């Protein structure tokens, strides 16, 4: 206890023509149970009111506060200072467009992702007010939820070598999202239709399989399983296509 | 300045806002939702427990019906709710859950056969029926007669919001995130949209619309200790007050939860106490049994929160750098129970506190949790005072919660009210034409631009916004919390009035350039202090105890004089107190006021009015 913490924080305000990207240092006395959420808010409220960063739920649920903490993407609200060295380096997530300082635009990235994978149930069924719901086995419901748990924090995208190299790579989170619909009996898309969305280098065949994504996912989503499952499944569709052409 | 025209402008992209947007878009209207954060980060995503609807599929829900749900809701509200609205809500909730099911929510389903469940630490058996296999199941929640809470594992809000946002994407609803509404475009009679500020560039944008809806969630962050997300700050409520003509309803009705953890005020579930956890003071001694010999830690939310506060006031709180707290002790439940049935609590403690609850005590205190009050609307969701303005969700006082909302009823409200109000907006626009007075748009925009440059240049003064906010939060935490007294509230109001003066003299310490977070805070601080005054002044005037509103000096529920709803207006921007008016709590009674069946208290009957 009683440590003096030194924060090296990336600073850049793209709206200000005089601003140039640089690192700036702040110091703070550590308190009990201090998280990066508490620390960054104290820095903003006591030392520099212009510091930009994003928090919302501050409980690890909403995915707002992802940033690169000592070189590794993670959730800031979830990170206790006592688990870190007294010198802490914070930079914004790469891949996403910078808004300012530690704040990036994940909203636009994810919205285009879910438009690309058409992240909704595809069906002809119209909702009937007076009918009871279609039954579903609880196991299936639970396995859909297991993949639905992604909080769109962007850590996996930021950690992914392919995503850094190519703008159009959809990333593990998109493939995981599609996996959620593939196992959902309410979604009537065929394997062929899924293939048209992800059966390319922008999708499953661009993945190098190094699994940085699963390592950094704060929700411990089974991204590795999901990627290999899709690669197999889409591989089969690709082979079938070769023979039916 | 950019001007964007839409049929419907919705301020908020949580469940209430997006549900209404889906209705509008489904009817072929153009709709846009504004949000401070990407839609899926809205606070609706944080609700884990579930949402109530009388589907009666689970064996423990047998015999449930919309009538029983209605009765629970009215009792829960301590007869402060609008009964027509509570009826509409209970009747619509099952349809809404099924609709969500079609749209993709992976609800947990009935699994036939025997299983075990716990109640009061004891184990019981139940057997689900084969004929209900695969239908939406339900879990138990406080204050309900039947198991009625539909859920998706421990992530109900998350799953429902993601599904809703998918649906909106499919229907072409635009969501403009990192955009913050700061003022309404209105002429005292009609609302024509809102002026918003981009949180990417700092620029102002005019959103012009025929119908405008407030779905901006709760305003818990005017308190310091709150389970709410940091964006639940009441910015839009401040702008509503600023219209001078739209009232906020029942602002004194604020719900506190007994176990928010210290320092980050994240919620740990009531299940800890349900399963046998105890509350300890600075001497690590139990105290709840002294005050509530029968129920001890298992008394209702408001009762436990009340005694915890009382005990800390008696000097038995644990001091910490973040203020006083008490301890929650679940160590005796053992590792298996804690990492099994209370896994979520275990994870919160280990990842946010660095506390291992198997061996260590959890620091907790009563924490602001839910705002029953908000923009007062009629049962169609139309706001009082301005044509073309609507509201739904936690931001509104549609008023099915009265003075206390039941767990699981607010998430259900967001989709039920969002759907109903969305359809009412569609109906309204079928016959409604308005001519948009461009002068009102440019005047409102110019006024906001002026306000910004005054704050940036320090023209009004250089009061620090964060210090002002702290003063406001301290005043509320001290004077308008779980317990309320004439003395405490008067002091609180005096402090808030001084704080309001300071808020009018706010200036920046930095340059305010671009998306400046300091400027965002400064732009809403005056409105926030006004909100705080609505809470405290409403509470001072309400000389009774009802639901979450507890007056130590008026402990009885007084149906004779206070079966009313408070309406708080800010008629003149320079006033330093709201103008309060009152209306009947409900236009008609399906259930006459009676005993709630818990939280014993004296009731001054409404009949005694006729007698005297
Ligand atoms: C920790 C916690 C757990 C909960 N658990 C449950 C539960 O289990 N069951 C239950 O029934 N209820 C629960 N609740 C309550 C429930 O979650 C909320 O009442 C409900 O989700 C509110 O939804 P909403 O759509 O009204 O608002 P929100 O989901 O809060 O959305 C508000 C929207 O408004 C936007 N906004 C705000 N201000 C502005 C502005 N100035 N300009 C533009 N946009 C703005 C935000 O960005 C956001 O998109 C819980 C609440 C908390 C705090
Ligand atoms: S495994 Fe694939 S998706 Fe994951 S980080 Fe590597 S390249 Fe990216
Ligand atoms: S998959 Fe995991 S790391 Fe990637 S966005 Fe979702 S929660 Fe974040
Ligand atoms: S603030 Fe929501 S995950 Fe960190």
């Amino acid at each position: 206890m009683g440590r003096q913490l030194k924060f090296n924080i990336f600073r850049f305000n793209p709206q200000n023509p005089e601003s140039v990207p640089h690192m700036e240092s702040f110091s703070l006395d550590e308190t009990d149970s201090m998280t990066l959420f508490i620390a960054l808010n104290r820095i903003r409220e006591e030392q520099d009111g212009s510091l930009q960063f994003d928090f919302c739920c501050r409980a690890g649920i909403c995915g707002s506060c992802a940033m690169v903490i000592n070189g590794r993407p993670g959730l800031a609200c979830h990170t206790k200072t006592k688990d870190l060295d007294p010198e802490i380096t914070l930079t914004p997530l790469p891949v996403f467009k910078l808004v300012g300082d530690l704040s990036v635009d994940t909203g636009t990235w994810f919205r285009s992702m879910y438009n690309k994978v058409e992240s909704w149930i595809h069906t002809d069924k119209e909702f009937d007010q007076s009918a009871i719901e279609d039954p579903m086995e609880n196991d299936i419901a639970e396995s859909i939820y297991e993949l639905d748990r992604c909080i769109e924090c962007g850590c996996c995208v930021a950690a992914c070598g392919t995503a850094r190299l190519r703008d159009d790579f959809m990333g593990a989170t998109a493939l995981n999202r599609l996996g959620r619909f593939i196992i959902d009996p309410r979604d009537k898309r065929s394997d062929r239709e899924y293939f048209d969305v992800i059966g390319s280098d922008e999708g499953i065949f661009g993945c190098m399989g190094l699994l940085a994504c699963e390592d950094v996912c704060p929700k411990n989503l089974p991204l590795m399983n999901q990627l290999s499952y899709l690669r197999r499944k889409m591989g089969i569709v690709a082979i079938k296509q070769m023979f039916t052409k | 300045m950019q001007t964007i025209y839409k049929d419907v402008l919705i301020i908020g992209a949580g469940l209430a806002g997006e549900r209404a947007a889906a209705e509008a878009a489904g009817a072929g209207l153009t709709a846009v939702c504004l949000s401070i954060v990407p839609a899926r980060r809205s606070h609706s995503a944080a609700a884990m427990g579930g949402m109530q609807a009388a589907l009666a599929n689970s064996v423990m829900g047998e015999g449930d019906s919309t009538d029983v749900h209605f009765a629970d809701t009215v009792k829960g509200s301590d007869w402060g709710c609008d009964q027509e609205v509570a009826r509409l809500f209970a009747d619509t909730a099952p349809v809404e859950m099924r609709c969500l099911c079609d749209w993709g929510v992976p609800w947990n389903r009935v699994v036939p056969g025997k299983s075990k469940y716990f109640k009061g630490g004891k184990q019981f058996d139940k057997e689900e029926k084969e004929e209900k296999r695969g239908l939406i199941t339900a879990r138990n929640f406080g204050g309900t007669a039947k198991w009625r809470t539909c859920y998706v594992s421990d992530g109900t809000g998350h799953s429902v919001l993601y599904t809703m946002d998918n649906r909106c994407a499919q229907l072409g609803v635009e969501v403009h995130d990192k955009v913050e509404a700061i003022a309404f475009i209105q002429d005292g009679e009609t609302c024509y949209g809102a002026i918003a500020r981009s949180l990417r560039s700092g620029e102002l944008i005019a959103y012009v619309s025929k119908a405008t809806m407030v779905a901006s969630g709760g305003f818990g962050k005017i308190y310091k200790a709150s389970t709410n997300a940091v964006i639940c700050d009441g910015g839009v409520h401040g702008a509503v007050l600023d219209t001078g003509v739209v009232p906020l309803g029942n602002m004194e009705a604020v719900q506190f939860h007994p176990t928010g953890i210290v320092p980050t005020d994240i919620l740990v579930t009531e299940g800890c106490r349900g399963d046998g956890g105890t509350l300890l003071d600075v001497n690590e001694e139990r105290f709840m049994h002294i005050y509530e010999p029968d129920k001890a830690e298992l008394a209702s939310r408001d009762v436990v929160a009340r005694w915890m506060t009382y005990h800390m006031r008696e000097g038995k709180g644990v001091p910490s750098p973040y203020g006083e707290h008490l301890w929650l002790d679940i160590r005796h439940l053992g590792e298996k129970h804690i990492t099994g049935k209370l896994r979520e609590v275990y994870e919160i403690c280990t990842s946010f506190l660095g506390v291992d609850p198997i061996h260590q005590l959890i620091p907790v205190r009563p924490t602001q949790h839910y705002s029953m009050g908000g923009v007062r609307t009629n049962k169609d969701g139309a706001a009082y005072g301005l044509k073309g303005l609507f509201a739904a969700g936690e931001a509104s006082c549609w008023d099915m919660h009265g003075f206390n909302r039941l767990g699981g009823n607010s998430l259900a409200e967001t989709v039920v009210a969002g759907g109903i109000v969305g359809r009412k907006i569609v109906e309204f626009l079928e016959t409604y034409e308005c001519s948009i007075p461009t002068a009102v748009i440019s005047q409102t925009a110019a006024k906001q631009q002026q306000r910004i440059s005054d704050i940036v240049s320090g023209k009004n003064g250089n009061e620090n916004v964060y210090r002002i906010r702290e003063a406001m939060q301290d005043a509320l935490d001290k004077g308008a919390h779980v317990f309320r007294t004439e003395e405490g509230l008067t002091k609180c109001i005096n402090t808030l009035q001084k704080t309001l003066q300071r808020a009018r003299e706010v200036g920046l310490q930095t340059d305010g350039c671009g998306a400046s977070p300091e400027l965002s805070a400064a732009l809403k601080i005056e409105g926030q202090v006004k909100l705080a005054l609505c809470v405290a002044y409403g509470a001072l005037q309400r000389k009774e105890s009802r639901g979450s509103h507890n007056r130590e000096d008026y402990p009885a529920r007084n149906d004779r004089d206070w079966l009313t709803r408070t309406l708080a207006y800010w008629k003149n921007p320079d006033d330093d107190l709201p103008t309060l008016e009152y209306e009947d709590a409900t236009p008609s009674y399906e259930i006459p006021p009676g005993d709630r069946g818990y939280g014993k208290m004296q009731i001054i009957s409404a009949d005694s009015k006729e007698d005297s």
Side-chain angles (χ1 to χ4, degrees):
Chain A
M1 258 346 321
R3 290 196 303 175
Q4 171 96 5
L5 303 176
K6 184 177 172 212
F7 290 88
N8 303 314
I9 299 180
F10 176 85
R11 300 301 308 269
F12 179 48
N13 183 353
Q15 297 300 316
N16 183 347
E18 280 157 36
S19 173
V20 282
H22 64 287
M23 299 299 288
E24 191 174 343
S25 299
F26 298 90
S27 28
L28 212 56
D29 289 327
E30 191 173 34
T31 48
D32 258 344
S33 307
M34 186 182 249
T35 60
L36 291 181
F37 166 71
I38 296 171
L40 282 168
N41 276 285
R42 272 189 51 194
I43 292 173
R44 178 152 81 194
E45 292 177 19
E46 293 163 16
Q47 302 184 34
D48 186 344
S50 68
L51 183 62
Q52 294 188 49
F53 51 76
D54 293 316
F55 284 96
C56 182
C57 70
R58 48 98 186 91
I61 305 172
C62 75
S64 293
C65 63
M67 56 183 71
V68 179
I69 304 160
N70 290 340
R72 189 185 157 88
L75 296 182
C77 68
H78 210 261
T79 305
K80 298 179 291 293
T81 54
K82 76 170 189 196
D83 297 337
L84 304 174
D85 288 339
E87 185 158 343
I88 298 165
T89 300
L90 303 176
T91 54
L93 287 188
V95 182
F96 301 96
K97 185 164 178 255
L98 184 75
V99 174
D101 302 337
L102 299 174
S103 172
V104 296
D105 183 357
T106 47
T108 306
W109 194 96
F110 277 99
R111 197 164 342 131
S112 85
M113 179 276 271
Y114 58 77
N115 281 331
K116 227 181 213 171
V117 304
E118 302 192 358
S119 163
W120 50 81
I121 299 278
H122 289 54
T123 178
D124 297 334
K125 186 178 178 231
E126 286 280 333
F127 174 64
D128 175 359
Q129 290 224 358
S130 54
I132 63 161
E133 63 274 19
D134 293 335
M136 182 191 279
E137 285 301 309
N138 194 53
D139 292 348
I140 296 180
E142 283 185 347
S143 56
I144 296 170
Y145 175 67
E146 275 312 291
L147 304 183
D148 224 5
R149 280 165 43 240
C150 166
I151 54 175
E152 299 192 350
C153 62
C155 288
C156 59
V157 180
C160 171
T162 310
R164 289 196 202 196
L165 289 176
R166 24 185 326 161
D167 282 349
D168 55 3
F169 182 58
M170 290 191 247
T173 175
L175 299 169
N176 176 71
R177 172 64 48 82
L178 213 63
R180 175 240 177 277
F181 288 99
I182 291 177
I183 59 173
D184 193 327
R186 292 168 293 198
D187 195 300
K188 304 298 181 211
R189 275 178 277 186
S190 66
D191 283 356
R192 264 301 291 273
E193 286 170 282
Y194 287 123
F195 184 85
D196 290 343
V197 181
I198 56 163
S200 68
D201 282 358
E202 288 175 35
I204 193 66
F205 301 123
C207 164
M208 300 182 290
L210 300 175
L211 298 171
C213 49
E214 178 158 318
D215 277 354
V216 297
C217 175
K219 288 286 159 186
N220 301 316
L221 285 163
L223 299 176
M224 179 160 61
N225 283 344
Q226 205 46 38
L227 291 166
S228 48
Y229 166 75
L230 286 179
R231 193 174 296 117
R232 267 199 318 276
K233 196 172 171 78
M234 292 300 124
I236 293 169
V237 178
I239 291 166
K240 274 196 197 144
Q241 262 184 344
M242 281 186 329
F243 287 107
T244 52
K245 256 178 200 162
Chain B
M1 186 186 60
Q2 207 188 345
T3 305
I4 294 172
Y5 293 90
K6 294 282 169 192
D7 294 323
V8 187
L9 165 67
I10 297 172
I11 303 170
L15 275 175
E18 288 210 322
R19 180 68 189 83
E23 280 302 321
L29 300 172
T30 56
V32 60
C33 291
L34 309 188
S35 178
I36 297 179
V37 292
R40 295 170 186 226
R41 311 224 192 285
S42 300
H43 202 45
S44 292
M48 297 183 171
M51 47 216 287
Q52 287 199 42
L55 289 165
N57 291 327
S58 156
V59 65
M60 301 302 287
E62 269 178 18
D64 199 13
S65 69
T66 52
D67 292 343
V68 185
H69 189 185
F70 167 76
D72 283 346
T73 303
V74 174
K75 281 186 205 163
S77 81
D78 222 351
W79 277 270
C81 75
D82 181 327
Q83 295 199 10
E84 276 187 57
V85 169
R87 172 49 80 183
L88 202 58
F89 162 71
D91 287 352
T92 315
V95 182
E96 245 349 285
M97 298 309 129
R98 290 184 177 127
C99 180
L100 290 173
C101 191
D102 270 16
W103 289 355
V105 173
W107 293 118
N108 278 60
R109 306 301 184 114
V110 174
V111 180
K114 287 204 170 101
S115 59
K116 300 189 188 321
Y117 69 97
F118 288 85
K119 197 176 165 190
K122 282 206 200 86
Q123 198 173 304
F124 295 87
D125 292 317
K126 66 179 173 68
E127 183 166 0
E128 298 289 350
K129 298 216 167 85
E130 181 59 40
E131 72 241 36
K132 300 286 185 183
R133 173 188 283 271
L135 298 181
I136 301 170
T137 191
R139 59 164 52 139
N140 199 5
F141 246 47
T144 68
K146 300 282 173 189
W147 287 25
R148 184 189 299 132
T149 308
C150 309
Y151 65 101
V152 182
S153 299
D154 60 356
T156 311
H158 170 93
S159 240
V160 178
L161 183 61
Y162 272 49
T163 301
M164 194 67 77
D165 195 43
N166 285 341
R167 177 79 185 166
C168 282
Q170 181 185 4
L171 292 169
V173 171
E174 285 176 51
V175 177
H176 293 186
D177 66 22
K178 283 194 175 279
V179 171
E180 181 164 30
I182 59 171
F184 289 93
I185 303 170
Q186 50 93 21
D187 56 12
E189 278 173 18
T190 309
C191 180
Y192 305 102
I195 301 289
R197 179 169 164 264
S198 162
L199 301 180
R200 291 186 169 86
S201 65
E203 280 157 345
L204 293 188
I205 309 164
Y207 284 89
V208 179
S209 58
K210 290 205 272 182
T212 304
M213 178 182 187
V214 177
S216 56
F219 50 84
K221 281 312 214 193
I222 62 171
Y223 284 84
K224 180 167 283 161
S226 167
T227 62
N228 288 192
V230 294
I231 60 164
C232 300
D233 57 18
V236 181
H237 290 89
V240 168
L241 278 181
D242 206 39
T243 64
V245 292
V246 179
L248 302 179
N250 278 349
M251 293 295 283
E252 63 271 34
V254 178
Q255 186 173 73
F256 297 88
H257 198 288
T259 53
I261 60 173
V262 184
T264 39
D265 306 303
I266 299 167
L267 192 73
V268 296
T269 168
E270 241 166 80
C272 292
R273 282 172 292 123
D275 295 353
T278 54
L279 291 165
L280 306 181
D281 62 18
V282 65
N283 305 318
E284 300 196 9
E285 284 168 5
R286 279 184 74 192
F287 57 90
M288 273 306 298
H289 63 288
I290 307 173
Y291 305 117
E292 293 284 325
D294 292 342
K295 293 224 147 179
E297 278 87 354
L298 297 177
S300 63
R301 256 184 211 183
D302 49 329
V303 174
V304 177
R306 239 182 285 168
W307 288 125
M308 288 170 75
T309 311
Y310 179 85
H311 203 65
M312 286 194 277
R313 279 212 219 136
E314 297 290 288
K316 299 287 179 65
V318 185
S320 85
Y322 306 99
E324 290 202 345
H325 63 75
L326 293 159
W327 298 115
L328 175 64
D329 184 8
I330 57 171
R331 295 172 301 185
H332 51 286
L333 301 181
E335 179 169 353
K336 189 158 163 258
H337 188 99
I338 295 170
T339 55
K341 211 171 157 253
L342 296 173
R343 186 179 78 180
E344 182 205 315
V345 175
Y346 179 75
E347 280 171 7
I348 289 173
C349 290
T350 49
S351 25
F352 293 94
L353 286 176
V355 162
D356 174 3
I358 301 169
H359 304 290
Q360 288 170 290
L361 299 173
I362 311 167
V364 294
R365 67 182 160 209
T367 301
Q368 190 286 342
H369 183 55
Y370 186 79
S371 328
M372 272 79 71
V375 181
R376 177 66 186 137
T377 70
N378 66 13
K379 66 180 177 205
D380 296 342
Y384 287 19
L386 277 184
K387 194 164 187 184
L389 184 65
F390 296 80
E394 190 171 344
S396 73
C397 179
W398 188 38
D399 216 2
M400 49 164 285
H401 301 301
F403 275 77
N404 178 52
R405 72 115 173 139
L406 295 179
N409 252 1
S410 58
L411 213 51
E413 176 192 15
T414 60
V415 291
V416 171
I420 291 175
V421 178
R423 288 188 287 279
K424 289 292 171 188
I425 290 176
V426 171
E427 256 173 50
F428 169 76
L429 290 183
E430 273 164 9
T431 56
Y432 176 70
E433 290 300 335
C434 68
S435 50
I436 309 275
T438 51
V440 177
I441 305 172
S442 50
Q443 279 158 17
T444 313
K447 193 172 155 202
Q448 294 307 314
Q449 200 64 65
Q450 186 62 45
R451 208 155 73 85
I452 290 173
S453 49
D454 288 352
I455 291 174
V456 173
S457 68
K459 178 166 173 276
N460 306 325
N462 57 4
E463 286 280 355
N464 178 320
V465 63
Y466 300 114
R467 298 292 90 75
I468 304 172
R469 194 169 74 188
E470 222 165 64
M472 166 187 75
Q473 291 173 331
D474 275 348
L476 283 181
D477 277 11
K478 282 201 190 96
H481 215 258
V482 174
F483 272 127
R484 293 141 183 220
T485 61
E486 166 123 22
E487 196 198 341
L489 287 165
T490 309
K491 226 170 163 181
C492 170
I493 291 165
N494 286 337
T495 313
L496 287 173
Q497 285 175 320
K498 283 187 208 120
T499 312
L500 181 60
Q501 196 45 48
R502 288 171 63 194
R504 287 166 173 157
E505 289 162 19
V506 67
L508 297 192
Q509 324 293 308
T510 61
D511 62 8
C513 174
S516 165
E518 194 189 12
L519 180 56
S520 299
L523 278 169
K524 62 187 131 201
I525 189 69
E526 184 176 341
Q528 286 177 303
V529 182
K530 286 177 174 172
L531 277 189
L533 275 161
C534 290
V535 173
Y537 192 55
L540 176 70
Q541 296 305 323
R542 184 170 284 275
K543 296 184 169 53
E544 65 153 358
S545 294
R546 184 182 298 274
S548 68
H549 170 72
N550 288 289
R551 283 290 298 260
E552 280 178 285
D553 38 2
Y554 298 95
R557 189 182 90 199
N558 184 343
D559 290 343
R560 185 189 61 207
D561 305 316
W562 289 101
L563 209 50
T564 55
R565 179 175 306 104
T566 310
L567 299 178
Y569 293 84
W570 211 279
K571 298 215 161 161
N572 175 349
D574 299 329
D575 286 350
D576 60 4
L577 270 185
T579 306
L580 301 187
E581 291 173 11
Y582 294 89
E583 64 177 4
D584 289 344
T586 180
S588 63
Y589 287 95
E590 210 176 311
I591 308 181
D595 187 16
R596 284 163 96 192
Y598 49 86
K600 54 178 182 297
M601 60 157 50
Q602 194 201 333
I603 298 170
I604 300 171
S605 148
D607 300 337
S608 51
K609 202 189 255 170
E610 278 104 69
D611 299 347
S612 60

